[in-house]
């Protein structure tokens, strides 16, 4: 439920990260431009996003690993597809791109998995304590590591 709530808030028609593009925006982009701002607290420290949106702490049923540079919509599609017990996520990814969130919620509710709990570090770890202002020092421009460092500090 909370993952669909978040992705529904992204992009045109949403109230967060209006430039979100499900075919291009990465998990890093969404964490930096949506999750971190949405989980910021008045004292500037912030909390894990999961603590902001969940009323009661619970244990997850599934732990998810992901790639930060992958399209965020693929991460969401994979999680929703798992909850729907589907063998692949292409159809769910298409529904996300089409903003067919009502259809996805209806299917998850019918499956009894709308509130299935997943542990995803991007939401369960306090990103304010782990990645905010945490870029490594800039390597020398002549270093073979500079290009990778420069790319990682930018949004896709």
């Amino acid at each position: 439920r909370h993952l669909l709530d978040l992705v529904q808030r992204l992009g045109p028609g949403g109230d967060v990260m209006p430039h979100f593009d499900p075919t291009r925006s990465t998990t890093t982009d969404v964490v930096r431009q949506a999750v971190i701002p949405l989980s910021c607290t008045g004292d500037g420290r912030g909390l894990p996003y999961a603590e902001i949106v969940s009323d009661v702490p619970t244990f997850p049923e599934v732990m998810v690993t992901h790639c930060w540079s992958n399209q965020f919509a693929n991460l969401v599609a994979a999680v929703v597809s798992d909850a729907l017990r589907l063998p692949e996520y292409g159809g769910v990814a298409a529904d996300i791109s089409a903003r067919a969130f009502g259809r996805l919620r209806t299917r998850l509710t019918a499956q009894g998995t709308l509130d299935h709990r997943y542990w995803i570090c991007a939401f369960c770890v306090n990103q304010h304590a782990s990645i905010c202002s945490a870029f490594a020092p800039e390597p020398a421009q002549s270093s073979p590591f500079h290009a990778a460092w420069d790319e990682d500090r930018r949004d896709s």
Side-chain angles (χ1 to χ4, degrees):
R1 173 186 315 260
H2 298 300
L3 188 56
L4 280 179
D5 290 346
L6 174 63
V7 75
Q8 189 168 357
R9 294 182 70 181
L10 304 174
D15 65 330
V16 180
M17 199 178 164
H19 56 281
F20 173 78
D21 177 350
T23 66
R24 188 168 188 272
S25 299
T26 67
T27 301
T28 297
D29 297 338
V30 171
V31 168
R32 290 195 179 279
Q33 298 170 34
V35 171
I36 289 172
L38 290 170
S39 59
C40 190
T41 57
D43 62 6
R45 293 185 187 173
L47 292 169
Y49 182 75
E51 287 185 29
I52 298 291
V53 299
S54 183
D55 42 346
V56 178
T58 59
F59 287 104
E61 295 159 86
V62 178
M63 183 173 179
V64 177
T65 187
H66 67 89
C67 176
W68 287 92
S69 61
N70 192 14
Q71 294 169 357
F72 181 70
N74 288 346
L75 170 61
V76 176
V79 169
V80 172
S81 295
D82 180 76
L84 292 171
R85 297 178 179 90
L86 299 174
E88 60 89 28
Y89 66 88
V92 173
D95 280 347
I96 290 168
S97 289
R99 301 189 62 78
F101 302 113
R103 178 172 39 232
L104 292 172
R105 286 178 197 284
T106 298
R107 291 176 67 191
L108 289 164
T109 299
Q111 187 75 36
T113 55
L114 180 62
D115 289 313
H116 201 75
R117 300 286 179 155
Y118 289 79
W119 191 96
I120 303 169
C121 67
F123 309 115
C124 297
V125 171
N126 184 350
Q127 299 300 329
H128 299 269
S130 61
I131 67 171
C132 287
S133 302
F135 290 112
E138 181 176 2
Q141 289 193 359
S142 60
S143 163
F145 304 107
H146 189 273
W149 174 87
D150 188 51
E151 183 178 325
D152 283 350
R153 72 185 182 98
R154 301 176 191 278
D155 296 326
S156 63

